[in-house]
Amino acid sequence: MRNMNWFCEGFKWQVVEFNYGAELLIKLRNGEEELKIWSIWVYSMLYCATQNRERLTQKLGTREAIKVGEKLNVYVGRDTGYVNWLIQDSHPFPSDIEHWIFPTENYVIEYLGFSPNIVTLEFEKMIEVEEEKVIEGIEFTKMSLEYEKERYKRFKIGIYPKLMSITDITCKGDRLEILMENEIKDYKRKKCYNERVLVTIESGIEAVRITENKRRLLLWLIFWNTKKYDPEDKYFFNVENSEFIRWLEEENGKKFERKVKHYCIFSSTFIVDVISKSKPKIKRLGRKERTI
């Protein structure tokens, strides 16, 4: 029988909020008890359905967790596969980056950044790294960099505002919302206009990976060299021969029973990769304006 001491007993992931300021908020719930995990300056975040992380959870079962309260198990790593993936994909990169892992009963949430704050009704505290419990090893969340094998095809053809940024990402249950905006300043009228687009995936999400745009330099170079991508107004891609799907199937130890697709959403702030059974819906919202 699999060792089940690795997860946060009774806790289920509920909400993830990620915004342009690179601030991350994770909400976990255990019955009536809610726990918030908050961190600033997050370089990349990954969350996957727990049943898809068989390989990781087996490894965590052999490691000692950092205990927060009675039921919350947290893991922190350095020089892991996830860290190595981002270091190779971007340069320069901080040498003291940490890989935080929050395994729950429904999703495993990971991010690359620095120590988070934990907030409950009883206390608020920053998690302190216990050096003897730090995980090191390339096998932890080792992702592929072989993007040249992938093929990116636009899944949504249309005319969209140029140079849009992803400003807010909200993952709630099995639903993902991504708000994209651009900003136009009219100095004569002393007005600032924001064109907005909302991307929604309503169900069937297996994994989401969010990374700062400037940290995916290797992927950008491949796009530029192969002339696959016009950065001004093309944002929505279906990725064929996906390395992300291949990696997740290796983590799971088997192929997906139902067909999934890898969708990639580019912007000037973040790149979001989604593995899902459902296709994203894209809706243009009304223009917002404010006085300069």
Side-chain angles (χ1 to χ4, degrees):
M1 181 179 294
R2 193 205 313 177
N3 183 346
M4 297 297 286
N5 294 326
W6 49 267
F7 69 80
C8 306
E9 182 182 350
F11 278 100
K12 290 188 176 182
W13 165 79
Q14 188 180 26
V15 176
V16 168
E17 297 175 1
F18 198 64
N19 64 35
Y20 177 58
E23 293 185 359
L24 174 66
L25 175 66
I26 303 167
K27 295 180 183 178
L28 307 180
R29 181 170 289 278
N30 182 0
E32 296 299 316
E33 180 183 3
E34 184 177 82
L35 182 148
K36 296 178 181 179
I37 302 163
W38 178 76
S39 183
I40 60 172
W41 207 257
V42 174
Y43 299 104
S44 182
M45 192 208 79
L46 171 71
Y47 77 89
C48 306
T50 301
Q51 69 266 20
N52 293 331
R53 301 305 305 277
E54 180 73 22
R55 184 164 63 177
L56 176 67
T57 54
Q58 284 182 352
K59 293 182 183 301
L60 293 182
T62 66
R63 301 295 181 120
E64 187 177 0
I66 297 172
K67 302 291 290 187
V68 181
E70 295 182 359
K71 298 180 179 179
L72 180 63
N73 289 337
V74 180
Y75 299 83
V76 61
R78 301 191 188 106
D79 299 322
T80 62
Y82 194 6
V83 172
N84 183 66
W85 170 78
L86 202 58
I87 286 175
Q88 291 191 53
D89 207 0
S90 65
H91 183 80
F93 200 79
S95 59
D96 57 348
I97 196 73
E98 294 168 345
H99 175 186
W100 289 88
I101 306 172
F102 301 88
T104 73
E105 291 187 353
N106 56 347
Y107 282 87
V108 176
I109 305 154
E110 303 170 68
Y111 76 83
L112 301 183
F114 303 102
S115 296
N117 282 330
I118 303 293
V119 181
T120 70
L121 291 175
E122 289 78 30
F123 63 84
E124 177 177 353
K125 63 181 292 187
M126 177 177 286
I127 299 180
E128 296 182 2
V129 177
E130 301 174 37
E131 290 296 330
E132 69 276 9
K133 297 180 181 178
V134 171
I135 295 170
E136 294 192 14
I138 204 73
E139 70 275 10
F140 286 91
T141 313
K142 181 182 180 182
M143 288 183 283
S144 172
L145 290 157
E146 298 182 16
Y147 306 132
E148 69 275 4
K149 295 180 179 179
E150 299 178 327
R151 294 185 296 275
Y152 287 72
K153 295 186 176 181
R154 292 173 67 191
F155 70 82
K156 186 68 174 179
I157 307 299
I159 299 174
Y160 295 96
K162 292 181 180 293
L163 301 175
M164 283 200 298
S165 301
I166 291 175
T167 54
D168 284 288
I169 303 168
T170 302
C171 319
K172 187 173 184 179
D174 204 21
R175 179 184 176 89
L176 172 67
E177 290 187 353
I178 301 170
L179 180 64
M180 306 180 71
E181 301 181 79
N182 80 337
E183 186 174 82
I184 301 170
K185 292 182 178 179
D186 186 336
Y187 290 102
K188 288 184 178 180
R189 293 184 175 89
K190 296 183 179 180
K191 295 284 187 180
C192 181
Y193 303 96
N194 288 86
E195 299 280 356
R196 300 178 299 154
V197 173
L198 182 65
V199 183
T200 305
I201 299 179
E202 296 181 345
S203 63
I205 294 174
E206 299 290 341
V208 176
R209 181 176 63 200
I210 304 164
T211 310
E212 279 189 311
N213 175 303
K214 62 186 177 183
R215 302 294 171 186
R216 299 296 305 275
L217 296 182
L218 180 59
L219 181 60
W220 277 98
L221 287 172
I222 289 170
F223 269 112
W224 286 330
N225 290 340
T226 57
K227 298 181 179 179
K228 290 181 179 179
Y229 177 59
D230 177 354
E232 286 196 339
D233 61 356
K234 298 179 178 65
Y235 307 100
F236 311 114
F237 294 90
N238 177 21
V239 184
E240 298 179 353
N241 198 29
S242 165
E243 286 295 297
F244 195 15
I245 291 178
R246 185 191 61 77
W247 167 78
L248 199 58
E249 288 178 334
E250 286 185 356
E251 281 285 305
N252 191 12
K254 61 182 180 181
K255 298 282 187 180
F256 285 105
E257 295 179 0
R258 290 179 57 192
K259 187 175 181 180
V260 297
K261 288 190 175 183
H262 175 183
Y263 299 101
C264 187
I265 300 167
F266 278 74
S267 83
S268 60
T269 49
F270 298 109
I271 295 175
V272 180
D273 295 280
V274 184
I275 297 176
S276 175
K277 300 182 181 75
S278 302
K279 187 174 180 178
K281 296 180 180 179
I282 300 169
K283 180 181 180 180
R284 296 192 70 155
L285 304 178
R287 174 186 282 190
K288 287 176 62 178
E289 67 175 64
R290 59 183 174 84
T291 303
I292 297 176

